[in-house]
Amino acid sequence: AVPAPAATAPRPAAAPAAQAVRPVSKTMIGGSARAPAAAPKAVEATPAARGTSPRARGDSRPETAMSAPTREERDARMQLARERASSFPPPPSVPGLRIAGDELLTDLFESVSELTYLDGALDGAAFVLSLALGKLPCQLGLVSLFDLDRRQYVVVRQQGGAKSALLLRLPETARLAREAMKKHSAVIATGSDITDTIDERWKDIGITPKSILCAPVERAGRYLGLIELINPLDGKAFKEGDSHALGYIGQQFAEFLSERSVLVDPDAVLAAAERDLR
């Protein structure tokens, strides 16, 4: 018997050219096809693209990202800080909550130890000011650091007050500051003594001092700064026990600063204040 030949599948007829089906392209959008984008031409990198500085390109404009702020820029930031003074942190305590005597010193001894965990002078200044106002609530509190080159105290931290006192300066010859440094202890000004202690800072801040407590921040004769509290919230004048307490805070802050740089750079002071206001 002769085997039957294998069945051969018929070839499909070629589709007419008019009915040819094109493959669907990925660029088909909304039923219409887009032509693929042409490959980008190689473009020679310009000096700016290669990271060449404006100065190398002959641009006379300063490189603001690298250069220090100008005096105009610094003054503008100082003015902005003063305009935003209403946002400054208020004193943390309420009127009438005022600790005195041995209890005050005991509380300070336990609380001030946290100062050692901080790094910079500005952070330390913020800490001691909050600590002082927490124990002795007042209308205004200031911490100043000493500018050795100009022999002036510069306000670097503030709580309370109607306007900003940041970067305001007090000469080392100011009566209350000089007396505190000479006695190595905090001093009180009240009543008739206030007249001799009034300086331009109070006018800029917009406050009328009625009772002032000023503690020196110094170590072995080296001037480091001041801590000032103005007008207790309970309406009473400062007492001797208050001066002992703030003097103790000043001593601990002096030990803290003796191992660190005393920073009075305007940009750093303003940046710290702006960070607090956020």
Side-chain angles (χ1 to χ4, degrees):
V2 179
T8 304
R11 293 181 180 180
Q19 298 180 357
V21 179
R22 293 179 300 167
V24 178
S25 171
K26 292 183 179 180
T27 59
M28 292 288 290
I29 300 176
S32 61
R34 289 183 181 177
K41 297 182 180 180
V43 180
E44 182 181 359
T46 63
R50 292 197 297 265
T52 306
S53 66
R55 214 166 281 170
R57 300 195 304 268
D59 195 339
S60 60
R61 292 175 297 177
E63 297 180 68
T64 55
M66 299 296 295
S67 58
T70 64
R71 174 172 294 183
E72 289 76 13
E73 293 171 339
R74 185 174 298 169
D75 290 344
R77 290 182 64 187
M78 291 171 61
Q79 181 62 29
L80 177 62
R82 292 193 174 100
E83 290 174 356
R84 298 175 64 187
S86 58
S87 301
F88 268 73
S93 300
V94 296
L97 184 62
R98 185 173 173 185
I99 305 174
D102 295 338
E103 182 182 358
L104 175 57
L105 289 175
T106 300
D107 286 351
L108 288 176
F109 181 79
E110 295 175 353
S111 301
V112 80
S113 60
E114 299 179 16
L115 181 62
T116 58
Y117 297 105
L118 302 178
D119 294 325
L122 297 179
D123 290 338
F127 174 81
V128 297
L129 183 57
S130 295
L131 178 61
L133 289 173
K135 307 302 180 182
L136 299 170
C138 295
Q139 188 177 358
L140 173 67
L142 303 174
V143 174
S144 302
L145 296 179
F146 191 65
D147 184 350
L148 182 61
D149 294 333
R150 298 177 60 178
R151 310 298 299 182
Q152 294 174 334
Y153 301 97
V154 183
V155 177
V156 298
R157 285 294 189 175
Q158 170 184 357
Q159 285 194 31
K163 298 180 181 179
S164 173
L166 288 179
L167 300 177
L168 296 182
R169 290 174 174 265
L170 180 71
E172 67 171 336
T173 55
R175 189 185 73 82
L176 204 60
R178 185 177 69 249
E179 184 179 348
M181 288 296 178
K182 183 178 179 180
K183 292 184 176 180
H184 306 285
S185 62
V187 295
I188 299 172
T190 187
S192 59
D193 295 337
I194 290 290
T195 305
D196 297 333
T197 63
I198 297 296
D199 57 68
E200 293 299 324
R201 297 179 306 161
W202 309 128
K203 296 179 182 179
D204 290 335
I205 298 170
I207 191 173
T208 302
K210 298 177 181 178
S211 185
I212 303 175
L213 180 58
C214 177
V217 182
E218 57 89 22
R219 184 174 175 83
R222 178 189 172 194
Y223 290 10
L224 297 171
L226 293 173
I227 304 175
E228 298 171 278
L229 302 183
I230 294 87
N231 298 347
L233 292 182
D234 60 7
K236 300 178 181 179
F238 289 108
K239 302 178 180 179
E240 184 178 359
D242 302 331
S243 65
H244 294 327
L246 193 63
Y248 175 73
I249 295 177
Q251 292 173 3
Q252 299 303 308
F253 188 38
E255 291 186 11
F256 173 83
L257 290 177
S258 65
E259 301 175 356
R260 294 162 177 83
S261 299
V262 177
L263 186 62
V264 294
D265 177 69
D267 290 327
V269 173
L270 291 175
E274 291 166 358
R275 185 176 65 246
D276 291 346
L277 291 174
R278 292 192 186 105

